[in-house]
Amino acid sequence: MEEYLQFGFTQATVNGQAVPQCVICFENLSNDALRPSRLKRHLETKHFGLKDKPLAYFQAKRDSFRKMRIAGGENFRQSSSGEILPARIDEIAEDIEVQVLEKIYASPYFAIQCDETTDVAQLSQLMVYVRYVGTTTIEEEMLLCKPLATTTKAEDVYEKVAFYFGHNSLKWDKLVGVCTDGSPAMLGSRSGFITRMKRNNPNIVGTHCVIHREALASKTLPAALNNKLATVIKIVNFVKASAVNSRLFAKLCNDLESDHKALLFHTAVRWLSKGNMLARVYEMRGEVKLFLEDQGKQDLLVLFTSEGFQLSLAYLVDVFEALNVLNRTLQGKNTTRIDNFDAIRAFIAKLGLWLRPVQQGNAASFANLDAALEQNSVTLGSELKKEIEAHLQILKEEFERYFPELTTTELSDWKLTRNPFRLSEDLVCESLQEEFLDLKYNSIAKDDFEAMPLTDFWAKYACVYNNVGNVALRTLLPFSATYLCETGFSTLVSVKTKAAMTYDVL
């Protein structure tokens, strides 16, 4: 079988019979595939670009595979599909964990975000991500993912995290921030998770996820608009709740050559779903109207086709799209409290900007509503005008209520972190003023500040100007959202679902 190594194959034994095995993907072929053309075709179709690799390349691949087999011993095995399943993959994970812990030990401070959820196997999972100062920038990594065997109370979460800290010698005085989803178990003032964490370090900054708060603040609607939203939801449920209706609606859309074939459900725990649902209904309002007529749903049809309802729907689409844009801005990796609070402050200011023209009967700030008014040759009616004014005012009040700490962004620590070169030394604590002036008049540092991301700049200069750098790191390191945990849970659900499906097939 050695002569086939030039084609990327070596010998494997399956059920006592020698068969060709690819040294790239370890797939086994039957003996009737020993023709060189068949082996070449395997490389062409499954490993594009490797067909013309030299013999030494395939020899190296084969030798590497043999070393893995020897190192793995009895724990090294191969599935029927040829997939490598070394039990020592746990050792690789442990090695990665050790590397992350070593970086945390070297970092002057670190912060965590944590959340728990119940997966598809009905097992509660606790996930914790960490943010620390790396070699050249501020880095984020998963710290731990552990099951909660029984209850998911604050004490259960705390015990898992505290045990991990103790077992791995993580210092509590270096922990500067804990971000959670804001549930009572996490934020409880007497026995919540953050309260328990602060017993080990009172200087910990506890934060409630800004994305969850944004979602909560955006739920508030005046009664009239809320009734119209409920009607839209009722229409969507009518179309999608029945399999027959879904197929009929899809056929209608297909006959009309529509861009979409289905409406969208929304769920309260999905941040963007309500806005997406409204946008799809408004985009397909012609198809929805025809379908309600065909199905004889006169009660819904009369409401849906009225001019007032359509104008309100257009406004809801516009305002929820704006909320979705804000939500997407708050998501992502490497976002800081400075980034997210700036976005929240800008949105609150926009609410006031949109409110003033509406009070004068001008809907230019809302594209769909403005187009609908122009299309129907009507002006913004007093009733809808009052509803929009009330909604924008309520939104502004709710955002200010859910984000009371926005005023902290004007404190000297935040100003120092955002731009030390435009801050007067009089606003800096006296004990920091001399070191601050050394930094402020360092022309090389000023050039780096203009050229580098904020996190990279402070990762570089925090070790040079320790006291000033510590102030900046305590501002930058705490998470403002549990976005990483949410994405981690999504990945976990996907992996477990695929595993369950594979098990069912087997």
Side-chain angles (χ1 to χ4, degrees):
M1 197 74 66
E2 193 70 18
E3 62 269 23
Y4 292 101
L5 187 57
Q6 60 182 310
F7 306 117
F9 281 81
T10 186
Q11 177 178 303
T13 302
V14 177
N15 297 327
Q17 183 180 13
V19 297
Q21 182 184 66
C22 177
V23 298
I24 307 298
C25 65
F26 310 112
E27 180 178 339
N28 296 328
L29 303 182
S30 59
N31 271 326
D32 58 2
L34 286 177
R35 298 184 306 277
S37 60
R38 173 67 179 85
L39 303 180
K40 286 182 178 180
R41 187 158 59 252
H42 174 85
L43 290 178
E44 289 174 349
T45 56
K46 293 203 171 183
H47 311 293
F48 180 75
L50 300 184
K51 175 173 66 71
D52 300 319
K53 286 287 184 181
L55 177 62
Y57 174 84
F58 296 118
Q59 288 175 332
K61 286 288 184 181
R62 177 198 59 189
D63 294 343
S64 175
F65 173 68
R66 287 176 175 173
K67 289 178 182 179
M68 289 172 64
R69 184 185 294 277
I70 292 171
E74 294 180 356
N75 291 329
F76 185 89
R77 65 189 189 278
Q78 198 175 332
S79 72
S80 58
S81 64
E83 181 185 2
I84 300 304
L85 301 173
R88 292 186 65 201
I89 195 170
D90 290 339
E91 295 182 16
I92 298 173
E94 290 174 4
D95 181 63
I96 294 173
E97 182 182 22
V98 168
Q99 293 180 46
V100 172
L101 288 171
E102 288 176 349
K103 292 180 179 179
I104 297 175
Y105 298 149
S107 175
Y109 301 107
F110 67 95
I112 63 172
Q113 63 169 268
C114 57
D115 200 359
E116 62 83 21
T117 191
T118 302
D119 61 25
V120 292
Q122 299 302 310
L123 181 65
S124 181
Q125 299 281 358
L126 171 68
M127 196 169 288
V128 179
Y129 279 80
V130 62
R131 177 183 280 169
Y132 53 86
V133 181
T135 306
T136 59
T137 188
I138 292 176
E139 300 178 5
E140 299 171 341
E141 294 287 350
M142 180 186 288
L143 185 62
L144 68 98
C145 181
K146 299 289 185 181
L148 298 172
T150 54
T151 57
T152 58
K153 299 177 181 178
E155 58 185 312
D156 303 311
V157 176
Y158 172 76
E159 286 176 4
K160 288 288 184 182
V161 175
F163 176 82
Y164 188 87
F165 272 45
H167 181 72
N168 293 286
S169 302
L170 294 176
K171 296 181 179 179
W172 287 98
D173 59 354
K174 294 175 68 174
L175 178 64
V176 295
V178 179
C179 182
T180 68
D181 64 355
S183 64
M186 293 294 187
L187 290 182
S189 59
R190 293 186 179 180
S191 59
F193 170 69
I194 291 181
T195 301
R196 293 169 182 267
M197 296 288 280
K198 285 187 174 183
R199 292 171 187 167
N200 297 287
N201 179 3
N203 296 320
I204 290 174
V205 175
T207 53
H208 176 187
C209 173
V210 294
I211 305 178
H212 284 86
R213 283 190 278 175
E214 186 270 348
L216 290 171
S218 64
K219 284 184 176 181
T220 306
L221 277 172
L225 287 175
N226 194 50
N227 290 337
K228 292 181 174 68
L229 176 61
T231 300
V232 175
I233 294 172
K234 189 181 297 184
I235 291 171
V236 172
N237 289 342
F238 170 72
V239 175
K240 292 186 67 68
S242 164
V244 174
N245 282 356
S246 296
R247 292 194 296 269
L248 291 173
F249 186 75
K251 186 178 185 306
L252 172 64
C253 295
N254 190 60
D255 293 340
L256 296 174
E257 297 183 352
S258 304
D259 292 336
H260 305 289
K261 302 296 186 293
L263 300 178
L264 300 176
F265 274 130
H266 94 281
T267 171
V269 297
R270 295 292 180 184
W271 296 320
L272 306 177
S273 64
K274 189 177 292 182
N276 294 338
M277 179 271 292
L278 286 166
R280 179 64 62 86
V281 170
Y282 190 72
E283 185 179 351
M284 303 184 72
R285 56 191 182 279
E287 291 87 341
V288 171
K289 174 179 176 293
L290 291 174
F291 186 76
L292 293 177
E293 287 177 351
D294 291 343
Q295 297 301 308
K297 294 295 292 183
Q298 290 300 317
D299 54 335
L300 295 177
L301 179 63
V302 170
L303 283 173
F304 186 75
T305 55
S306 66
E307 182 182 279
F309 186 92
Q310 289 294 311
L311 293 177
S312 296
L313 177 58
Y315 165 73
L316 288 173
V317 171
D318 287 326
V319 74
F320 274 97
E321 173 56 26
L323 289 165
N324 280 4
V325 169
L326 172 62
N327 197 293
R328 288 190 291 268
T329 302
L330 301 177
Q331 296 181 37
K333 299 180 179 179
N334 303 311
T335 58
T336 66
R337 290 187 297 166
I338 291 177
D339 300 326
N340 287 342
F341 286 167
D342 283 350
I344 296 294
R345 288 165 63 91
F347 184 78
I348 292 175
K350 289 178 183 177
L351 289 173
L353 180 68
W354 298 336
L355 178 60
R356 289 189 291 273
V358 169
Q359 291 172 335
Q360 300 171 5
N362 185 350
S365 301
F366 305 102
N368 287 303
L369 175 58
D370 193 46
L373 291 171
E374 184 177 350
Q375 183 179 355
N376 293 288
S377 301
V378 296
T379 58
L380 189 60
S382 59
E383 184 177 346
L384 179 57
K385 177 183 171 183
K386 289 180 181 178
E387 292 174 5
I388 295 175
E389 288 177 359
H391 184 219
L392 294 178
Q393 188 61 44
I394 290 173
L395 270 181
K396 186 173 183 296
E397 293 171 358
E398 287 296 287
F399 270 90
E400 290 172 345
R401 182 170 72 89
Y402 274 101
F403 295 94
E405 72 274 42
L406 286 177
T407 54
T408 63
T409 61
E410 294 305 310
L411 297 179
S412 59
D413 289 356
W414 285 64
K415 291 181 177 180
L416 169 64
T417 304
R418 287 197 301 260
N419 192 337
F421 302 98
R422 297 185 62 182
L423 184 66
S424 171
E425 63 273 14
D426 296 335
L427 298 177
V428 179
C429 176
E430 288 187 7
S431 61
L432 300 178
Q433 286 180 354
E434 288 190 15
E435 188 178 87
F436 168 76
L437 288 175
D438 289 336
L439 170 63
K440 183 175 181 179
Y441 292 102
N442 184 334
S443 58
I444 296 176
K446 186 174 182 180
D447 291 341
D448 283 344
F449 182 83
E450 294 173 353
M452 301 169 66
L454 191 63
T455 51
D456 292 4
F457 173 82
W458 284 113
K460 178 178 180 179
Y461 284 95
C463 59
V464 180
Y465 303 98
N466 292 320
N467 296 323
V468 173
N470 287 343
V471 172
L473 292 179
R474 284 180 170 274
T475 303
L476 289 174
L477 283 174
F479 287 99
S480 58
T482 57
Y483 172 81
L484 295 177
C485 289
E486 298 292 346
T487 55
F489 289 142
S490 296
T491 302
L492 186 63
V493 168
S494 177
V495 170
K496 286 210 167 189
T497 302
K498 289 179 180 178
M501 292 173 64
T502 302
Y503 179 80
D504 288 343
V505 170
L506 296 176

